[in-house]
Amino acid sequence: MRSGTGRWATAAAPVRRERGRSRPRPGHARAPGAAGLRAAAGWARSGPAPSPSSSSAASCPGAARSGWSQGGRRLKLLPEACPSPCHPRISLTSLWDGHQGMMHGSDPTSKDYRVNVFLRQQWNDPRLAYHEYPDDSLDLDPSMLDSIWKPDLFFANEKGANFHEVTTDNKLLRIFKNGNVLYSIRLTLILSCPMDLKNFPMDIQTCAMQLESFGYTMNDLIFEWLEEQEAVQVAEGLTFPQFILRNEKDLGYCTKYYNTGKFTCIEVRFHLQRQMGYYLIQMYIPSLLIVILSWVSFWINMDAAPARVGLGITTVLTMTTQSAGSRASLPKVSYVKAIDIWMAVCLVFVFAALLEYAAVNFVSRQHKEFMRLRRRQRRQRMEEELVRESRFYLRGYGLGQCLQPKDRVGEGPSIYSPPPASVLLREGESLRRYYIDRAKRIDTISRAVFPFTFLVFNIFYWVVYKVLRSEDIHSVP
């Protein structure tokens, strides 16, 4: 640090230990005191570095453990003069990122969300108390952060993060008379958010932000929220394309237990309710119209096979494409989602409409099959009768020779005689009308059964997912 013609500097020498090891609290260091704070704030005049003041040592019983070690190196050690364990208080102001990730919110495929936060930490370090100046607080240069102790906080569910340095480092260091320290920093975080998509797209997701100590166990450090009402603030007028951020935010503790000890952890849970507007327009309404379109074939003449078959195949293929598109933007999960049930049922309905015409066409052609069978039976009976009447055996003479019909002329009429052609025509016409009426009856019944069944499914579907399951989600703490 430069002041006038004089120059002095202190080099940060942080003491790093493996996680879970004890933190040494040596007693050979001296506190920087108020004069040191004055130099750090840029108020030093000229000459050599200031020496620690006696008032600082008096205000901190363990002042010998503060920050100056042999050789002029400053150690960032946990202050022993503060109560054991220390209780840093933490507050957050969240500015959800509206351009990437989930909050624009959350990204269902990667199950994470991106958030821009102001992280504020407050703790008391008696080594930094001062009484020589009337100001209640001193705002120091962020470079002084390397010269003081601060909590080793990290985000337990963080997947990526970056600082902000435009136009300067977005950091604030403020020290109060009584030794309270306020440390504020602006961060952009990508945090994991495991999502339950069973009710998608009518789901409510709960995304957590966990703040944990990396190296200090709970014997040395315990995090606390500043105030439960104001600890976490959200920017006003914040809107997301797909979500509504609910007002309630759950603040709590998530103490972690490892084989190296028990570590302090606090968390906040945000509740995001998905907006259905996009999915209604892009998925639900188009699939509903496709199902209704498939019912048009029930009013088309059964003889118009190309029209009915083409309509049925078109609706089935369109429904298949629509169902595949609904799954493209979602992670591949093993359970069934609400949108999957809707698409599957719609696909079943359009496929059933296609099968309905197959049944109608089959029934309408049954009279031809029946008449063909009757003709085959009559022909078979005539052949059997002719064979039976055209054979006789001269058993009295021991002859097994068969005489042909030309040898028996004048023996009398045959037993079986085919019905007249007029009778056959009337019988065929009656059978044709019977089976065509049956086919038309299938179409008539389908015109009522398909819409009614789909209406019942809709009532059941929306009641379950919008009412019953929504109440279950709200009741979960």
Side-chain angles (χ1 to χ4, degrees), residues 73 84 122 166 178 183 194 219 248 254 323 334 348 385 390 411 428 453 466 475:
R73 295 174 63 87
S84 180
Q122 299 182 24
V166 179
N178 59 356
Y183 173 39
N219 296 327
E248 61 266 22
C254 52
S323 178
S334 59
V348 168
E385 191 68 25
S390 62
E411 288 227 351
T453 307
K466 292 295 288 184
S475 62

Side-chain angles (χ1 to χ4, degrees), residues 92-335:
L92 287 171
T93 298
S94 299
L95 304 173
W96 296 92
D97 193 341
H99 300 286
Q100 296 188 19
M102 170 173 154
M103 298 349 171
H104 81 142
S106 332
D107 186 359
T109 56
S110 59
K111 293 190 175 183
D112 57 27
Y113 67 99
R114 180 172 178 142
V115 61
N116 194 349
V117 300
F118 291 103
L119 173 64
R120 299 183 180 93
Q121 305 176 62
Q122 299 182 24
W123 67 93
N124 182 270
D125 191 342
R127 300 169 296 185
L128 302 178
Y130 64 92
H131 304 283
E132 291 83 356
Y133 303 102
D135 297 333
D136 293 334
S137 63
L138 301 177
D139 291 339
L140 305 183
D141 189 88
S143 61
M144 293 299 297
L145 288 168
D146 294 333
S147 303
I148 66 171
W149 178 88
K150 53 185 177 293
D152 58 345
L153 179 146
F154 77 100
F155 293 88
N157 60 331
E158 173 242 331
K159 297 174 67 175
N162 63 279
F163 298 96
H164 293 269
E165 300 177 351
V166 179
T167 57
T168 61
D169 289 346
N170 294 175
K171 298 178 182 179
L172 170 67
L173 177 60
R174 181 175 297 166
I175 300 177
F176 296 86
K177 276 188 175 183
N178 59 356
N180 285 346
V181 181
L182 171 62
Y183 173 39
S184 178
I185 185 172
R186 182 180 172 219
L187 299 169
T188 296
L189 305 169
I190 299 177
L191 305 174
S192 64
C193 179
M195 289 181 285
D196 185 1
L197 300 174
K198 290 186 177 67
N199 294 338
F200 178 87
M202 293 164 282
D203 53 334
I204 298 177
Q205 299 299 335
T206 299
C207 295
M209 179 186 297
Q210 297 182 344
L211 296 83
E212 183 181 348
S213 172
F214 179 77
Y216 293 109
T217 64
M218 293 189 69
N219 296 327
D220 298 324
L221 188 66
I222 296 178
F223 289 148
E224 294 178 351
W225 289 112
L226 181 62
E227 292 178 10
E228 291 204 1
Q229 293 79 6
E230 301 179 358
V232 178
Q233 300 174 345
V234 179
E236 296 182 0
L238 188 64
T239 58
F240 305 137
Q242 294 188 30
F243 292 91
I244 297 176
L245 181 61
R246 302 177 63 182
N247 293 329
E248 61 266 22
K249 297 176 287 293
D250 300 332
L251 305 180
Y253 296 87
C254 52
T255 303
K256 301 297 181 66
Y257 297 86
Y258 303 106
N259 55 1
T260 53
K262 182 170 64 171
F263 295 85
T264 181
C265 177
I266 58 177
E267 68 176 355
V268 56
R269 293 181 176 271
F270 301 98
H271 302 282
L272 298 111
Q273 184 173 1
R274 196 183 303 271
Q275 301 185 65
M276 283 196 59
Y278 171 82
Y279 299 96
L280 282 174
I281 296 173
Q282 297 294 327
M283 296 182 183
Y284 281 95
I285 293 179
S287 58
L288 174 65
L289 295 178
I290 292 172
V291 172
I292 295 176
L293 180 63
S294 67
W295 301 339
V296 176
S297 64
F298 302 153
W299 278 267
I300 299 178
N301 193 329
M302 68 181 68
D303 295 331
R308 296 189 66 165
V309 172
L311 179 61
I313 293 177
T314 300
T315 54
V316 169
L317 295 179
T318 306
M319 200 66 240
T320 303
T321 305
Q322 189 82 4
S323 178
S326 67
R327 296 189 298 269
S329 59
L330 296 176
K332 296 176 176 60
V333 294
S334 59
Y335 50 82

